[in-house]
Amino acid sequence: MLLVKVENPWKQNPWFESVAVAQERARKRLPQPVYGALVAGSERGQSIADNESAFMELGLAPHVAGQQGERSQATSVMGQDISLPVIISPTGVQAVHPDGEIAVARAAAARGTIMGLSNFASKSVEEVTATGATTFFQMYWTGDRDVMIQRMERARAAGAKGLIATLDWSFSMGRDWGSPEIPEKVDVKTMIRMAPKVATKPRWIRDFARSGGFPDLTAPNLAPPGGAAPTFFTAYYEWMTTPPPTWDDVAWMREHWTQISGMPFMLKGVCRIDDALRAVDAGVTAISVSNHGGNNLDGTPAAIRMVAPIASKVGDQIEVVMDGGIRRGSDVAKAVALGARAVMIGRAYLWGLAANGQAGVENVLDVLRGGVDSALLGMGHSSIHDLSPDDLVIPAGFHRELGV
């Protein structure tokens, strides 16, 4: 009998043609609890579902002739030039791949865009900026002011080109389909206990073993000077015990960052017009219209529904970006047409990272770039800056004007 060895086509060609394929490959590669942490939304998942489905309500109005042979997606966010209107949103511990944030930063640099680095990241700000990626450092309002000053000064010293303050996070543990288990730390004992859930994904385990250890669930950017990095849950406890910020606190944070660095400041998580106006008063450079990817208060409208109302009120004073539900280049084009300068992606690049490391993140950015280019071609534009609501079919009642 002649035996024919059939090669795995995925192994031969790891490239994927859509974010949906990246998600499916991530699902197949990751242990169920890890994948569950990527796709989870708070409570019934209403906001996370609306983040994606709202884009399907928006249509495009293409031209049949007169399209432009050359098209540019170049723009800038907070003074940093980027080659496409897509930047990396900061997400916590990226233990879906051994290289984590380092791989993502290298991909961002290779594709000419900005790396957003969470202070809950598993790699330090010094390691990430050393990749050459233009980095915006992200902070939650945790700890006292002296602690926050120390973290801002560390980010400045490492070469961060901007600060992102994320305030739309309540870490809701209530999920109708169950919350994924996040261990305090990953060690031999934890791996043995979770063996039934991870044993079916031997390639994922093997990749971490080859890198020299277990997934890192510590937060090195929250380490005190000369001290050890806290675990995720230690950092979470610090957040829980820190009084929520006031608008005066936001202004203080922005003022101190500007004084020590001269760099711009973004406030992430704005959903209401009145909050956007207060952000202008606080002196921010930019805001991100966001519901924290559906992981904050469930029932918050999709971010894309809130872009145009907010941009129409403050877009001439500060930069407006958005994040939430971006899966295709046409989604990016729709957001820009409604007034966003750029979008931030989270789950999309994490799926790419899980599927194929740095190359997977680059692949996701290439997929989005190709989709944006197709939209520009169809709309007859030569520049991303030419997109406008006239290019869209917007159903009545689509927008959500909150805080009018």
Side-chain angles (χ1 to χ4, degrees), residues 29 165 397:
R29 189 179 187 90

Side-chain angles (χ1 to χ4, degrees), residues 194-250:
M194 299 186 71
K197 296 181 179 180
V198 301
T200 58
K201 308 296 180 181
R203 287 200 306 164
W204 185 78
I205 300 171
R206 180 197 64 201
D207 289 346
F208 275 97
R210 286 177 175 175
S211 71
F214 299 114
D216 187 358
L217 299 185
T218 60
N221 294 307
L222 298 181
T231 65
F232 175 85
F233 285 100
T234 300
Y236 176 55
Y237 178 78
E238 180 186 73
W239 171 79
M240 287 182 63
T241 55
T242 301
T246 65
W247 280 104
D248 287 340
D249 291 326
V250 174

Side-chain angles (χ1 to χ4, degrees), residues 132-150:
T134 299
T135 304
F136 291 167
F137 185 69
Q138 176 265 351
M139 289 178 57
Y140 293 100
W141 185 263
T142 62
D144 59 31
R145 287 193 174 189
D146 288 341
V147 168
M148 284 184 263
I149 287 172
Q150 177 267 318

